[in-house]
Amino acid sequence: MSGHHAGQAGGGERLLEELLAQAHSASPMGLPVLVNRCAEALGLGEVVIYLTDLQQRRLVALTDGLPALDIDETVAGWCYRTVSLRVEDVDTGVLCLWLPVVDGAERLGVMGVRTCSTDTVRLRRCRMLTGIVAMAITSKRAYSDSFARRARVERMQLPAEMLRAFLPPRTIGNDHVVSTAVLEPAYEIGGDAFDHSLTQSTLHAAILDAMGHDLASGLTTSVALAGCRNARRAGLGLIDLVETIDQALAQWLPDKYCTGILTQLDLDSGTFRWCNCGHPPPVLIRDGGVVHGALERTAQPPMGLPARFSDEPRAVHEVVLEPGDRVLLYTDGVTEARTAGGKEFGMERFTDSIILATAAGELAAESLRRLIHAILDGEASDLRDDATMLLIEWWPPTTKPTPRRG
C-alpha cells in the first residue's frame, strides 16, 4: 500500500473508531446525523438507514420525511431479502450502494450510501459503517421506544404488547444453523409465542400456544416461556424442562393450559430431539419437499394442570437430520386460517406453500416471511386464531452450506 493510501486508510479507521465511541452516547434518532458526519469525512455521500416494519413488508427510514420502501418491489428490499450488497443507479454518475444491516442472523434493515464510484476502500468503509449501525441499533432498541415506534404502522393491542416484550429476536443462528420465526396477527397476538437460544453445541427452540386469545392467554404463555428459560439455563434436559412448565402453570394458573413443542438440536451430529405437548407435529422439509409423517408421534397432554392428572410420563422423540434439512413448527392458527368462501387454508395448501417457499433456495428467514404473507394475502383471508411458525435449518460443521438467495 502506498503512503497516501496507508494514511487515508489510517484516517478512515480513526474516524470509524470515533463513530463507534460516539454511537454509545448518541440518542437513537440521532444516529443518522452521526453516521452521515462520519461518511462525509470518509469521502462518501449521503447515508440513509432503513429498518424493517414489524411485518417485514416495508423498510422505514430513520430520517424524517423519507417515504417507506416496499420490501418486495425495490432494490433496497432486494438487499434485505437476500442479505447481500445491491447497487442502484439513482442519478447521472451517482450510485446508491445498498447494504444489509444485520445483527448476527437477524435482518434489521438496510443502509443506503450514495457515491460516485465504488472501489475496495469505499466498500470496506461502507461495510464497517453498516456493522457499527447494526450494533448501535441492537443496543439502543433494548431501552428506547424510538425504533419500535418506527416499526409499527398501527397501535398494538395490550396482550400483544405484553407477550412481545418476552420474545427473543426473530432470527438467530450461525454458519451452520438458523432458527427463525414469524407471528400473526402482528398487533393482536394473544396466546402464541416462540423461543430459541443458541449455545456452542446446541440449538434450543420452542413454540407455544396457550388456550384462548386474550390477556390471560398471554400471561399463560409468558409463564410457560419463563419456565422454559429457567429450566434451560439451569442445564436441565427436555423432560425436566417440560415438567418445570407443568408445575409452574399448575401452581400459578391452574385453570389455564398451554400446548407446545420443545426441541433441542445437536449442532455436530444433527440429532433432533423434541417433546410434543398436545400440539400439531413438526414438519420435515428435505430436498425442497415435505417428508410426510416423518416427525409425527402421538401427542401428549398439554402443559399445565392436564399433565398433572395424567399417569403417562413425558416422552422425548429423536431423529437424525440430514444436511440442509429444515424443520417447521407451527400453531393450528396457520392451517385454520380462512380463505375465500370460508374454507380453511388446510394442511395440504400449507405444505404446498412450504414447498414453493423453499424450492427457490431462499434464506430460511425469507422463506418464512414469504410463506406467512402468502397466507395473509390470499383472497379474503381471515385468521381465526394466532398463527405462528418457527423454521430451523441445519448444516453439519463439516459441510459448507450453499449460499441461499432470493
Side-chain angles (χ1 to χ4, degrees):
M1 180 182 291
S2 68
H4 172 72
H5 283 93
Q8 188 180 49
E13 289 173 359
R14 283 193 296 274
L15 285 167
L16 290 167
E17 185 178 2
E18 291 175 12
L19 171 62
L20 183 59
Q22 294 174 32
H24 288 294
S25 58
S27 66
M29 302 316 294
L31 190 61
V33 174
L34 187 61
V35 171
N36 269 287
R37 192 185 309 148
C38 182
E40 182 180 3
L42 288 171
L44 303 174
E46 181 185 8
V47 174
V48 183
I49 303 166
Y50 287 83
L51 299 183
T52 180
D53 77 323
L54 192 61
Q55 295 179 294
Q56 299 183 88
R57 293 183 181 276
R58 307 186 310 161
L59 293 166
V60 182
L62 292 187
T63 304
D64 290 332
L66 295 178
L69 304 176
D70 190 301
I71 288 178
D72 290 309
E73 302 292 338
T74 61
V75 176
W78 192 4
C79 169
Y80 178 84
R81 298 194 313 268
T82 62
V83 192
S84 60
L85 171 71
R86 298 292 168 178
V87 181
E88 182 180 18
D89 289 317
V90 294
D91 204 347
T92 304
V94 179
L95 304 173
C96 184
L97 307 182
W98 292 105
L99 299 96
V101 178
V102 297
D103 173 31
E106 172 82 330
R107 300 182 296 180
L108 303 176
V110 299
M111 188 177 83
V113 183
R114 293 172 69 95
T115 182
C116 295
S117 62
T118 62
D119 55 38
T120 303
V121 173
R122 283 188 174 88
L123 286 176
R124 185 174 69 248
R125 290 178 177 178
C126 288
R127 291 191 172 99
M128 292 175 70
L129 268 177
T130 307
I132 294 173
V133 166
M135 287 189 290
I137 291 171
T138 301
S139 65
K140 293 180 186 302
R141 68 177 177 174
Y143 62 82
S144 172
D145 293 336
S146 298
F147 298 142
R149 291 178 64 182
R150 292 275 170 160
R152 299 180 183 186
V153 298
E154 62 184 86
R155 183 169 180 175
M156 186 167 291
Q157 298 300 306
L158 183 58
E161 192 74 67
M162 180 186 71
L163 200 48
R164 283 194 176 275
F166 290 99
L167 295 180
R170 184 167 40 222
T171 306
I172 65 171
N174 55 31
D175 289 340
H176 302 289
V177 69
V178 171
S179 177
T180 183
V182 292
L183 296 89
E184 290 287 349
Y187 298 90
E188 300 175 7
I189 57 171
D192 278 15
F194 68 91
D195 196 26
H196 44 205
S197 175
L198 191 60
T199 69
Q200 186 172 358
S201 62
T202 307
L203 170 71
H204 303 265
I207 193 167
L208 302 167
D209 183 2
M211 174 187 67
H213 191 268
D214 53 22
L215 191 64
S217 303
L219 181 59
T220 303
T221 305
S222 299
V223 171
L225 276 173
C228 175
R229 291 169 182 171
N230 180 260
R232 189 179 71 220
R233 291 165 184 174
L236 302 183
L238 272 181
I239 291 180
D240 290 331
L241 191 152
V242 175
E243 289 180 350
T244 298
I245 299 174
D246 284 333
Q247 293 169 6
L249 291 178
Q251 178 179 358
W252 300 108
L253 297 167
D255 60 338
K256 300 293 183 180
Y257 63 85
C258 182
T259 72
I261 296 180
L262 298 101
T263 75
Q264 292 177 341
L265 173 61
D266 185 284
L267 302 185
D268 290 329
S269 67
T271 300
F272 180 72
R273 304 172 73 246
W274 77 100
C275 185
N276 187 339
C277 305
H279 204 77
V283 174
L284 178 62
I285 305 165
R286 178 173 292 161
D287 298 328
V290 174
V291 184
H292 294 282
L295 304 181
E296 289 187 10
R297 306 290 188 274
T298 301
Q300 296 178 296
M303 292 172 284
L305 198 58
R308 309 300 290 169
F309 287 118
S310 175
D311 294 329
E312 183 181 358
R314 293 293 188 185
V316 174
H317 310 291
E318 182 178 301
V319 298
V320 178
L321 301 182
E322 295 183 6
D325 276 356
R326 291 178 170 184
V327 176
L328 180 65
L329 313 179
Y330 65 97
T331 61
D332 54 15
V334 174
T335 54
E336 292 175 0
R338 299 284 176 173
T339 59
K343 293 183 61 178
E344 286 190 354
F345 191 78
M347 193 64 194
E348 184 177 352
R349 288 191 63 184
F350 178 45
T351 54
D352 286 346
S353 297
I354 296 169
I355 294 171
L356 291 173
T358 58
E362 296 170 328
L363 295 163
E366 181 61 17
S367 293
L368 212 55
R369 186 191 75 89
R370 286 166 54 87
L371 177 54
I372 194 65
H373 288 175
I375 294 173
L376 292 172
D377 297 343
E379 183 180 355
S381 65
D382 178 26
L383 288 181
R384 300 299 179 89
D385 195 2
D386 293 345
T388 303
M389 293 183 283
L390 184 145
L391 183 63
I392 298 167
E393 178 179 286
W394 175 75
W395 292 89
T398 55
T399 304
K400 183 176 177 59
T402 302
R404 293 178 176 270
R405 293 292 179 258

